[in-house]
Every structure is written in C-alpha cells, then in structure tokens.
Amino acid sequence: MGILLDEAPYILEKMPGGGIIITSADWLINWSRANSLWPLTFGLACCAFEMISTNMSKYDLDRFGVFPRPTPRQADLIFVAGTLTKKIAPKLKKLYDQMGEPKYVISMGSCSNTGGPFYDSYSVVKGVDKVIPVDVYVAGCPPRPENLIEGILKLQEKIKKDTIKNNDRAQIFK
Amino acid sequence: MTEPRYLNDIKGKFPGTEAVLPEKIKDGIPAFDCPPSLILDIVKYLKAEGFNYLMNLCATDYKDTFEVIYHLSALESKAKITLKVKINREKPELASITPLHPGANWQEREAFDLLGVVFTGHPNLTRILLSCDWEGYPLRKDYSRKPDQYD
Ligand code: SF4
C-alpha cells in the first residue's frame, strides 16, 4: 500500500464537467498500468540472455510488477531483445498486433535499436521501429540487466504521464 | 607413419582427381581437388573405406568459379579428408550426397540458399535460412542488395 499513499494525487485538476473524476481516474489507471507491466518476451539473440537474467532472482523484475507472459493476449509490454531479421519481422508485427491496448514496446540492445553490428547485413532490419512503434530504447550490446531495469522505470514514468483525454494510444476515448 | 591406402587409391580409381599441394594445406588434413562428375562416386568409395561422417559441407565463391568443400571423417580411425570441387559459376550444378550422408541435407540447402548451388538429386532443395520469396543469392560476390521497407 506504500506506493499508493506515496503517490496519491494531492493536486486535483479543475476541469469543466467533472475534473476531479478525470484526474483521479487518470492517476488510478496509470498507477495500475505502470505497476503491472506484463511483458511478452521476444528474445532473438544474445540480448535475450540478459533479459532472462533480469527476470531471474538476482535482479528480480517481479518487484516492479513485471512478470513475463508467453502469449501476446496476456501481455501489455513487449521486450524486443536481439537481432531482428527480415524473416521474423512480419511475425513480430503479428504478435504486436495481437496484444491488447494499451501496449508498450521496449527495444533492447543495439541490434533492435538500429541493426547494431549487423547494420550492413542483407538480412537484418535496421531497427525495430521500422516495424512497430517503440517507447523506450535501451542502449548497449548487450545492455546489462540494470540498464533494462532503468528502461522499465523510464517506461513507468512515461506511463504515469499518460492521460485518458487527448491520448493517441487510447483511441477509444477520443 | 605410412600413407593410408585410400590416399593413393583415390587418384588411381578416379582419374582427374588431384591432391592439393601440401604447402597449400593449412590444417594438416589431406585434400583433393575432384572433378564434379565423380564426387558422388568418390564419397561412396570413401564411405566404404570408413569415412562415415560428414563433418561439414560448404561452398565458396571465387568470382570466376564456385568451390564446394566436403570435410569427411572416419569415426573408427579418426582420419579426416577434405574434398574440393570446382564448379561452373554459370551453371552451378552438382550431385547431392544426401542419399549417402543424410547430414548433408540441410548443409546443401544452405549452400543453395546463400550461393545458389543446385544439388541435383536432393530430396527437398528449398531455401532454409532466408524467406521463401527472397530474390538472389546474398553470399555471391556480385550480389547487390536492393533496399526494402526494412532498410
Ligand atoms: S545488441 Fe549485441 S548483444 Fe544484443 S543481440 Fe545484438 S549483438 Fe547480441
């Protein structure tokens, strides 16, 4: 309950037509989304091992509410960890499309950020953002688990700034 | 150490086969340049002589010709041998050794996928690493990559 009390909104926005309710709903929704990020693990190459070790007991992603899921239906975050080849790019798009809104993407490692060491290769996609939109880029080859955790915290910060009014993601509220 | 019998026998039995000069061999494994038409027979003969394990099969582009390289070893006697076959770059065709060594199946598909060497008699010669609709053979020296939506 600590997080709830620490972060409870003490400044309420005034809006015509029920401002208090909008602000509180924003805060509650963002708080619950940010603290239960369930990632679909999409390990493609060496970076996948850093992602795995981040999930293991030493770094323990569970304490941030991050809990790996094997299916896109249950996931709201996808870690793209590794070299995305042109052959698997359509499959990544398909999995991303199967995830329910709201969905977030963390691109992990140089390969998925830009193509990395394989930038000149005939078969490697030059960045995951050519296929799906990316929220957080984690740099490194491979990034250490601390870097990935930092990326997750950055994503949580980003989610906490979301609002259900004027939100590009949540088309349903437009 | 006496020379094993098969090293001399290969040259006698299969005319056109040349031993690669010792100073060109870096790994200490005896190597032979073989004519393309005889490769299946040579591998069959070597299999009967105990070379029952295909360690590796790969192909190289030398700009004017392709070379397909076979590394065979004998699990009993631990002997090893290398076979090199130069093939025409315009019409890169070679008999498949998959009927003799099933392990060659995927390696021949790989050579077909990346260099376009056609192995006749292969049970399923399709692309293995690249997607089925890929155009061209990327490991050829004259391959030019067309940028697509992922570049
Ligand atoms: S960024 Fe480096 S460590 Fe990560 S998948 Fe690419 S080559 Fe491997």
Side-chain angles (χ1 to χ4, degrees):
Chain A
M1 220 42 197
I3 304 169
L4 189 68
L5 292 177
D6 291 348
E7 297 184 7
Y10 44 89
I11 303 169
L12 299 177
E13 225 179 281
K14 226 178 165 46
M15 266 187 62
I20 289 171
I21 293 191
I22 290 284
T23 314
S24 304
D26 258 357
W27 173 82
L28 187 68
I29 291 170
N30 290 344
W31 171 80
S32 51
R33 277 179 186 165
N35 290 298
S36 70
L37 284 171
W38 286 8
L40 173 67
T41 57
F42 201 70
L44 293 164
C46 4
C47 272
F49 291 94
E50 296 297 311
M51 178 185 71
I52 292 162
S53 78
T54 318
N55 277 304
M56 289 296 146
S57 45
K58 183 165 181 190
Y59 294 96
D60 192 18
L61 273 186
D62 239 359
R63 62 201 158 118
F64 303 107
V66 179
F67 182 60
R69 305 308 298 166
T71 155
R73 317 265 178 209
Q74 300 169 356
D76 37 21
L77 165 66
I78 179 166
F79 290 140
V80 187
T83 321
L84 187 74
T85 56
K86 288 176 184 170
K87 194 174 177 185
I88 206 149
K91 282 91 177 170
L92 173 65
K93 179 88 176 83
K94 189 182 261 176
L95 285 175
Y96 177 76
D97 288 344
Q98 285 178 357
M99 287 162 60
E101 291 278 358
K103 47 193 173 186
Y104 307 93
V105 179
I106 290 185
S107 158
M108 181 183 176
S110 312
C111 279
S112 45
N113 293 346
T114 63
F118 311 108
Y119 185 82
D120 271 344
S121 166
Y122 53 87
S123 62
V124 172
V125 179
K126 296 177 183 17
V128 173
D129 44 12
K130 299 263 191 289
V131 187
I132 56 176
V134 176
D135 292 282
V136 177
Y137 297 86
V138 180
C141 178
R144 283 191 58 84
E146 291 91 337
N147 293 22
L148 183 59
I149 294 175
E150 174 77 13
I152 291 163
L153 296 180
K154 281 268 178 294
L155 180 63
Q156 290 186 341
E157 275 172 31
K158 183 176 175 177
I159 293 172
K160 283 178 185 162
K161 285 189 206 127
D162 262 2
T163 167
I164 53 175
K165 44 177 190 178
N166 307 326
N167 191 339
D168 286 344
R169 286 180 186 282
Q171 302 283 344
I172 192 169
F173 292 114
K174 273 200 168 168
Chain B
M1 210 175 92
T2 52
E3 284 276 291
R5 182 172 49 85
Y6 54 81
L7 288 184
N8 290 320
D9 274 11
I10 286 180
K11 272 184 282 182
K13 274 188 192 300
F14 304 100
T17 310
E18 297 273 339
V20 176
L21 298 175
E23 57 265 29
K24 283 200 164 180
I25 296 175
K26 301 242 164 57
D27 53 6
I29 301 174
F32 289 90
D33 280 324
C34 310
S37 52
L38 293 179
I39 185 67
L40 197 61
D41 295 334
I42 296 176
V43 174
K44 196 180 277 173
Y45 165 74
L46 283 173
K47 196 176 179 189
E49 289 289 317
F51 285 89
N52 50 4
Y53 181 62
L54 178 77
M55 292 193 292
N56 187 26
L57 189 163
C58 61
T60 317
D61 185 0
Y62 284 111
K63 288 195 178 158
D64 49 348
T65 163
F66 287 141
E67 190 171 72
V68 182
I69 300 151
Y70 303 78
H71 286 98
L72 294 156
S73 79
L75 293 180
E76 283 281 298
S77 65
K78 307 276 190 290
K80 291 176 183 150
I81 193 166
T82 306
L83 303 176
K84 301 184 173 195
V85 186
K86 285 211 167 21
I87 51 176
N88 186 349
R89 206 173 180 290
E90 305 308 315
K91 198 164 170 287
E93 273 188 14
L94 193 61
S96 166
I97 62 161
T98 306
L100 294 170
H101 291 279
N105 189 326
W106 283 12
Q107 309 207 19
E108 287 179 349
R109 280 176 68 187
E110 187 189 15
F112 167 73
D113 192 359
L114 301 177
L115 279 156
V117 181
V118 178
F119 291 92
T120 50
H122 190 286
N124 176 29
L125 196 66
T126 51
R127 288 194 183 272
I128 183 168
L129 295 170
L130 300 170
S131 52
C132 318
D133 55 355
W134 195 278
E135 280 170 25
Y137 302 101
L139 288 198
R140 287 192 179 183
K141 298 280 193 236
D142 56 2
Y143 178 74
S144 67
R145 183 159 57 89
K146 278 193 235 90
D148 53 19
Q149 78 261 39
Y150 300 127
D151 283 302

